[in-house]
Amino acid sequence: MSFLFTPHPRGRVISAPQWPLLAQSGLSPIDYLTSSEIEKVLGKTYFPTIDYSLLSNCEVVSIAVPTPVDEKDQPDLRMLNSVASEAIKYLPTGSMIIIESTINVGTTRKDILPLIKSSGKEIDLVYSPERIDPGNAKYNVVN
């Protein structure tokens, strides 16, 4: 299993640029995942990276990037579209993309599906909303 980390343009902690470096050294960039848990799988089943070309060896890719809202409370989908576009370039035909970012109904079909179709590849597309709200002090992975 490989994890591709991309920096958030606003530098939010959830996808901070130092994540791959932390994870590559066995340190957890995620508050509910201990460093010892990462060390157990690092280099065996877990390969943190920022290299999209490694996706050419993947069958399933999960995309979970921030979708902040703008001043009009409209979601900013630039990061989602950018990551999906780049992933599609490297994913082989027959693979699957799972969108886990919090997005409006229809966004997967309206924004991401056309990217796949224009690639000419047969890539399955799934939407599964994320279960973690980064920065939410009241609700976390435990509750």
Side-chain angles (χ1 to χ4, degrees), residues 63-107:
I63 299 175
V65 296
T67 51
V69 294
D70 63 18
E71 56 282 340
K72 296 179 182 177
D73 288 329
Q74 296 300 309
D76 180 350
L77 301 174
R78 289 179 294 179
M79 178 176 275
L80 176 61
N81 290 330
S82 173
V83 170
S85 293
E86 198 64 22
I88 290 165
K89 288 179 189 176
Y90 294 98
L91 284 171
T93 292
S95 58
M96 175 188 293
I97 294 176
I98 303 170
I99 304 296
E100 293 192 38
S101 297
T102 302
I103 53 177
N104 293 337
V105 173
T107 301

Side-chain angles (χ1 to χ4, degrees), residues 84-138:
S85 293
E86 198 64 22
I88 290 165
K89 288 179 189 176
Y90 294 98
L91 284 171
T93 292
S95 58
M96 175 188 293
I97 294 176
I98 303 170
I99 304 296
E100 293 192 38
S101 297
T102 302
I103 53 177
N104 293 337
V105 173
T107 301
T108 303
R109 190 177 306 115
K110 181 177 69 70
D111 287 68
I112 309 304
L113 187 58
L115 298 173
I116 293 172
K117 287 186 175 187
S118 68
S119 75
K121 297 179 181 179
E122 292 289 328
I123 296 175
D124 293 326
L125 180 60
V126 176
Y127 175 65
S128 175
E130 65 186 330
R131 301 199 41 148
I132 299 170
D133 183 9
N136 188 328
K138 184 174 180 180

Side-chain angles (χ1 to χ4, degrees), residues 25-83:
S25 63
L27 299 174
S28 177
I30 304 169
D31 59 357
Y32 60 86
L33 186 63
T34 68
S35 294
S36 63
E37 290 173 304
I38 288 197
E39 288 173 357
K40 288 178 190 174
V41 295
L42 186 63
K44 298 174 186 136
T45 58
Y46 176 64
F47 305 91
T49 183
I50 56 172
D51 183 357
Y52 279 92
S53 70
L54 296 178
L55 296 180
S56 63
N57 298 317
C58 292
E59 294 176 0
V60 178
V61 172
S62 174
I63 299 175
V65 296
T67 51
V69 294
D70 63 18
E71 56 282 340
K72 296 179 182 177
D73 288 329
Q74 296 300 309
D76 180 350
L77 301 174
R78 289 179 294 179
M79 178 176 275
L80 176 61
N81 290 330
S82 173
V83 170

